[in-house]
Amino acid sequence: MQEEKVDKSEDDSPAEEMVARRGYLTRRNALMFAGGLAAVIVVFALLAVVLFRYGTVDSVIKGQFVDKMNAMGIDFTADVFSLSLTPLELTLKNATFNDRVTGDKLGFIREARIGLTVEDLFAWQATRDITVESTDIWGAEVWVKYDENGRSNFANIVQDESASRISLKYDSVKFAMRDSVVHFGDLRRTITADANNLQFFLDPESWEDPTTPRRYRLDVTSTGSTFTYQDSRLDNISLRAQAIADETGADISELRIETPIGETVMSGRLSDWKDFKYDLNIESSVDLTQASTIFPLGATLRGVGNFRGKVIGSGENYNVDGRVESDALAAEGVYLKGINVAATVAGTNSSYEANGTAIAELLTFEDFRVEFPRLSGNVRGTGSDFRWVGELQAVAAKSKDLSIVGLFLSDAVAEYKDQQLTASGGAGRAQKFSIADTSFDNLNARGLTFSSNDGVTQFNSSSATAGAMTTPDYKLEGVSGRNLRVRDTQN
């Protein structure tokens, strides 16, 4: 009997262990475990709310932000720097950004709200990726200045490459800036400007291929802006720009600038933000009367000029290919009627070189009058001074006692400097050339020079031939001569 009990006891031992183990995994124990986990989550959630409410997280993120600004060379202060939990949003009020070296102002933000999302919020990791989803700014001011040597007030700002526990990502950011101002100043070029009432909006385009740069819709407007060159100021400037932009450049659908002296509309491509490379189609209308009144252009201009063409360039260097038309233009005693210019122009700042053809119904200079002139060749100049080399044709040219019909000049050179016009020509011909009571038919001349100053017009020629010379008293045929001089005065 005892042996049977021993055998039975040994056979039932494993079964009793299985029953004991299953006793710990009852429904009651499972519910208790779930309740405990929920309690822990609630505690952590309450702790997070408390930390947000009492500024613990605020101080951590603010410290990270201030350290980042310091590493870049920027002094940052703000009256309000707070972080809300639902939604996750950073708020700034009366924030200032100054150069740590010079103390100069770089920027100011009256109020900003920055929407954030945190990736893997509950993951146990030392670093955290924060995505900036949206940025809304009100009342910003930005100062951009260049000194006499062309150095920017942002020159002391450096890129922060130090390690940080917080990594900000801007791939999907929506950016809006309202009621803002950008102040610009360039001491070397004596230029100042204020872009007032600035509205700037940036929205991400749909992005299906992560290997390509993210593209953004850009919309910028500014009204009531100002521009000052030396002591001349232009007010009430409006700007509107719409484009699709990425990190390399922008496709501009419209860039419109309206001012009291004219209007310009451009479209095209900016292919390099750093070197500012551009390829733009442009239409422009400029009231030269207003322009010369406001700005010191070196000459008093009158009339309205219309331009249509293409502008390609990089920085201060540009190339223009287009056409200028005007019903009438006037500058320092020179008057052009019905002008049409087709030309290509290359330049740097105010220095330029142009090649093309100019046709007009009428050209007058003081008492000298040229009907239907056609000029083709090369022009180089700076401001109002210029030098032209090319050919000149005209139906007729007249002054007080001088008359030319069927004029043609080759290898001609004209120069306008210090309000004086001089010209020369390798060869010239005219169907008829008259001075006072003397006229020449089928005149051919070489070594021509021309000048006009203070009402005195003068022609010189090293040699000339004519089919006939006629005076009131006689007529000579087959005439030739050397060192000829013709002088016409107002007296």
Side-chain angles (χ1 to χ4, degrees), residues 144-214:
V144 180
K145 298 179 181 179
Y146 293 87
D147 62 17
E148 297 88 343
N149 300 317
R151 179 180 171 84
S152 167
N153 61 325
F154 284 83
N156 294 324
I157 308 305
V158 297
Q159 183 177 357
D160 179 25
E161 298 180 351
S162 61
S164 175
R165 289 182 298 163
I166 296 177
S167 176
L168 295 178
K169 300 173 64 176
Y170 299 91
D171 289 342
S172 60
V173 65
K174 292 181 64 177
F175 183 91
M177 183 168 64
R178 302 173 177 87
D179 303 328
S180 299
V181 180
V182 175
H183 307 283
F184 177 85
D186 191 334
L187 292 178
R188 185 172 60 175
R189 298 177 177 84
T190 62
I191 293 174
T192 60
D194 291 317
N196 298 319
N197 305 315
L198 183 64
Q199 318 289 326
F200 185 100
F201 300 96
L202 197 67
D203 292 304
E205 291 272 87
S206 58
W207 193 34
E208 298 179 356
D209 185 0
T211 62
T212 61
R214 190 67 184 260

Side-chain angles (χ1 to χ4, degrees), residues 249-477:
D251 293 313
I252 302 173
S253 57
E254 181 185 52
L255 174 56
R256 181 182 297 271
I257 303 173
E258 298 178 354
T259 74
I261 64 174
E263 179 179 341
T264 299
V265 180
M266 291 179 279
S267 62
R269 172 72 182 169
L270 290 177
S271 57
D272 190 326
W273 291 111
K274 182 178 179 181
D275 295 331
F276 201 65
K277 295 180 180 179
Y278 50 89
D279 186 343
L280 303 172
N281 299 309
I282 180 171
E283 293 186 23
S284 181
S285 177
V286 179
D287 186 337
L288 297 175
T289 305
Q290 293 284 348
S292 64
T293 300
I294 296 173
F295 296 106
L297 302 176
T300 301
L301 306 178
R302 297 289 183 271
V304 176
N306 301 301
F307 171 79
R308 176 178 293 181
K310 180 179 286 290
V311 180
I312 302 173
S314 176
E316 297 175 343
N317 301 312
Y318 59 88
N319 288 273
V320 181
D321 186 358
R323 184 179 296 275
V324 177
E325 297 178 347
S326 177
D327 293 335
L329 295 177
E332 296 295 342
V334 179
Y335 173 78
L336 283 165
K337 178 182 178 182
I339 186 171
N340 188 306
V341 180
T344 60
V345 182
T348 301
N349 292 328
S350 61
S351 299
Y352 64 89
E353 179 178 354
N355 293 279
T357 301
I359 302 173
E361 295 180 19
L362 179 65
L363 165 65
T364 64
F365 179 73
E366 295 181 348
D367 289 335
F368 199 76
R369 176 188 178 97
V370 182
E371 297 179 1
F372 294 98
R374 176 187 174 91
L375 295 89
S376 60
N378 174 273
V379 180
R380 297 183 181 183
T382 301
S384 62
D385 298 338
F386 68 86
R387 177 181 173 85
W388 167 76
V389 179
E391 294 182 347
L392 168 65
Q393 300 179 52
V395 172
K398 300 177 182 179
S399 67
K400 183 179 180 181
D401 295 315
L402 180 69
S403 176
I404 305 173
V405 177
L407 174 65
F408 177 81
L409 294 176
S410 63
D411 300 325
V413 178
E415 186 170 5
Y416 185 76
K417 188 175 183 179
D418 297 331
Q419 300 184 9
Q420 294 186 15
L421 179 65
T422 60
S424 62
R429 64 176 183 268
Q431 295 177 6
K432 190 168 186 177
F433 182 92
S434 301
I435 178 71
D437 294 333
T438 303
S439 64
F440 298 86
D441 295 333
N442 298 321
L443 175 67
N444 287 272
R446 302 188 65 82
L448 295 167
T449 62
F450 164 86
S451 64
S452 180
N453 186 31
D454 294 332
V456 178
T457 302
Q458 189 166 297
F459 286 94
N460 296 323
S461 175
S462 61
S463 64
T465 62
M469 182 180 75
T470 303
T471 70
D473 299 323
Y474 58 86
K475 179 178 182 180
L476 299 177
E477 297 183 353

